[in-house]
Amino acid sequence: AQAVASHTGPASEILHQLEERSKREHVPADYLALVHLGLGNVDRALDYYEQAFDEKCWNLVFLNVDPVYNSLRGEPRFARLIEKMGLPSRS
């Protein structure tokens, strides 16, 4: 939310904290992906969404319907992830 609201300083700090925490304990990859997405780091967000798929993160089932992911819809890597997950295509 901080990143989407153009509060990049606080968002970057949250991202840093999550990345540091992930060195000591499990932080779901989709959490990191969402912050990167909000900051506009599309490639890095997709890296983490692909990792989240490998981790079987349950909330990826919303990738095809939640508007938070609209900025990824034109990305070929996102389309391949949706296909890999077996989600129906959006019409």
Side-chain angles (χ1 to χ4, degrees):
Q2 292 285 357
V4 173
S6 298
H7 301 147
T8 55
S12 294
E13 179 58 30
I14 290 167
L15 180 59
H16 175 73
Q17 290 172 8
L18 285 172
E19 288 174 338
E20 287 301 309
R21 186 176 179 178
S22 73
K23 294 175 184 175
R24 298 183 308 279
E25 61 188 86
H26 177 70
V27 173
D30 57 317
Y31 290 13
L32 294 159
L34 192 57
V35 180
H36 276 289
L37 182 60
L39 288 168
N41 304 331
V42 172
D43 284 333
R44 195 68 180 122
L46 286 167
D47 290 342
Y48 278 115
Y49 283 123
E50 290 166 350
Q51 181 180 334
F53 173 79
D54 292 339
E55 293 175 1
K56 297 178 176 45
C57 290
W58 68 270
N59 49 344
L60 292 185
V61 299
F62 298 108
L63 287 179
N64 219 14
V65 294
D66 193 326
V68 75
Y69 306 111
N70 284 349
S71 63
L72 296 175
R73 303 230 184 273
E75 296 291 328
R77 285 176 65 193
F78 185 74
R80 285 192 299 275
L81 180 60
I82 295 296
E83 184 178 321
K84 186 176 177 180
M85 292 177 64
L87 296 175
S89 62
R90 291 178 54 134
S91 303

